[in-house]
Amino acid sequence: MTIEKVRDFLKGYGKDKYIREFDTSSATVELAAEALDVEPARIAKSLTFKNNEKCIMVVTAGDRKVDNRKFKNEFGIKAKMLSPDEVYEFTGHRVGGVCPFVIDLDKVQIYCDKSMERFQTVFPACGSSNSAIELTLDELFKLSNALKWVDICK
């Protein structure tokens, strides 16, 4: 179960005790926002895209969509999302619990989108379809090993 891997990883930063697990699903932005009683925009969703033999993961605000032109300008390729099987193959997380933690950085390049900058804290998943953690933007950037902040959303 990947939540246990995420828990072990976050324990090294003293953050494991802040993981929240829910009795209901938090697999979508809307369900996560409801479970946390926050606005959907504060859910940090992890989007995954094909990049030849690698994957690009962009963590964005829950209320934003990718702007294809901005994506191509930033990464030099067309935005092509991974299939659920590919998501698991690249990230080790199943759709609904995908997060930027415990990722093989040889296979995945992680970026944070500026759409989250309007918030003090956001809520990414923790490797399962019923978990989340509240993190500051600096914590999210550091713990995800993000390469840089990008602006690829509408």
Side-chain angles (χ1 to χ4, degrees), residues 61-120:
D63 65 339
R64 297 298 168 94
K65 295 186 185 293
V66 171
D67 181 306
N68 290 324
R69 181 186 49 77
K70 287 182 174 183
F71 185 95
K72 188 166 186 175
N73 288 344
E74 179 65 43
F75 298 113
I77 58 172
K78 183 179 177 182
K80 182 177 189 257
M81 296 201 67
L82 299 179
S83 71
D85 288 340
E86 289 172 318
V87 170
Y88 182 72
E89 176 187 328
F90 278 103
T91 69
H93 303 298
R94 298 268 180 218
V95 172
V98 177
C99 63
F101 313 120
V102 194
I103 298 290
D104 181 349
L105 299 176
D106 289 331
K107 294 180 2 180
V108 182
Q109 301 166 316
I110 302 171
Y111 300 88
C112 289
D113 189 76
K114 293 182 177 184
S115 60
M116 296 183 290
E117 289 182 335
R118 58 201 151 129
F119 304 110
Q120 294 286 326

Side-chain angles (χ1 to χ4, degrees), residues 1-4 6 25-29 32 43-48 57 84 87-88 91-103 123-133:
M1 191 175 216
T2 60
I3 188 170
E4 294 309 323
V6 172
S25 175
S26 59
T28 66
V29 168
I43 303 304
K45 61 183 178 180
S46 298
L47 303 176
T48 52
M57 177 185 285
V87 170
Y88 182 72
T91 69
H93 303 298
R94 298 268 180 218
V95 172
V98 177
C99 63
F101 313 120
V102 194
I103 298 290
F123 296 87
C126 290
S128 72
S129 62
N130 67 329
S131 65
I133 187 169

